[in-house]
Amino acid sequence: MSDRADPPAPAATDRGRRRREAVLDAAALLFRERGFHGVSVDDLGASAGITGPGLYRHFASKDAVLMAVLDRLWQQLRPALERARHLPPDQALAVLLDAQLDLALHQPEAIVVLVRELRHLPDDYRERASRNHDRWVSAWAEAIGGIASHLDVEVARAMAVSVHGLIDAAALYTDAEARPLDARQRRALLEQLAWGALRAAGVDPG
């Protein structure tokens, strides 16, 4: 995730925006499956239904595609972060949890790519990504500490990261032999697991 100061200009047309999003969706899948260095510009273009050179109408480089994939994570979380600042701790935690669930269910591949491939990007980008992650964890820790004031701030941060890991891992897990859950059931299960972990650790908003 990054608070980049110079994001690429948005596509000028609806068709261009849809094509750009298709490239990012395809890139997240390919980067997860093959790794950043195992994917070529031609692979990205073919997966999104355009020629490799056509990719450069939307992105300056393969690095730029990877950064855009990761930027979408932060763009999805940022509104919840802003909302949580103005809410009581119990409501703030609910808003943050909803955003984490949305992210895990809608962009699971990008979460894996963030963990595995961030190291391939420039230092300044990695530093900004680290700051964004810290802001997200801090918001969770503040909400957790507001509900359970007896918890040390570092414990609250560790709890936040643990819940994130639980949600992300469960969202990524698929078992072809298991009876699949629909999207609503999966979300309800993940939410139940998250609140169960928080309450077991003494964070109970009531």
Side-chain angles (χ1 to χ4, degrees):
M1 296 179 291
S2 171
D3 54 353
R4 295 172 61 200
D6 55 346
T13 65
D14 287 342
R15 183 173 182 273
R17 284 188 286 271
R18 289 194 299 270
R19 182 56 56 85
R20 188 177 189 277
E21 289 301 305
V23 170
L24 295 179
D25 290 341
L29 287 169
L30 289 175
F31 290 153
R32 179 190 176 187
E33 292 172 357
R34 305 182 197 174
F36 179 69
H37 290 305
V39 179
S40 70
V41 170
D42 287 339
D43 292 332
L44 292 171
S47 185
I50 59 178
T51 64
L55 191 76
Y56 293 114
R57 289 197 294 270
H58 304 279
F59 302 96
S61 65
K62 193 173 76 166
D63 282 3
V65 176
L66 176 56
M67 286 188 278
V69 167
L70 302 185
D71 283 344
R72 287 202 304 181
L73 298 176
W74 177 242
Q75 289 162 6
Q76 185 166 336
L77 294 179
R78 189 181 328 200
L81 187 65
E82 297 298 326
R83 283 185 61 201
R85 288 175 179 168
H86 307 289
L87 294 172
D90 57 336
Q91 295 178 30
L93 188 57
V95 166
L96 297 170
L97 176 56
D98 279 345
Q100 189 75 36
L101 290 169
D102 284 342
L103 188 71
L105 289 168
H106 298 146
Q107 297 194 55
E109 294 83 12
I111 293 173
V112 175
V113 171
L114 172 66
V115 174
R116 292 180 182 170
E117 309 298 343
L118 182 63
R119 67 186 186 276
H120 297 305
L121 293 173
D123 290 346
D124 61 338
Y125 187 93
R126 295 202 307 271
E127 290 168 3
R128 287 194 292 267
S130 178
R131 287 199 299 271
N132 281 333
H133 181 257
D134 182 72
R135 288 160 65 187
W136 185 244
V137 173
S138 294
W140 273 73
E142 183 176 352
I144 288 170
I147 296 168
S149 57
H150 62 283
L151 293 176
D152 179 87
V153 64
E154 292 305 317
V155 173
R157 290 179 64 86
M159 289 176 59
V161 172
S162 297
V163 172
H164 297 170
L166 172 66
I167 292 171
D168 295 347
L172 287 164
Y173 175 77
T174 57
D175 185 347
E177 297 181 356
R179 180 179 179 180
L181 300 176
D182 63 30
R184 180 183 57 80
Q185 291 171 322
R186 290 187 71 204
R187 184 186 180 89
L189 176 59
L190 290 177
E191 184 173 8
Q192 183 179 7
L193 289 172
W195 281 120
L198 288 165
R199 289 190 173 100
V203 182
D204 190 349

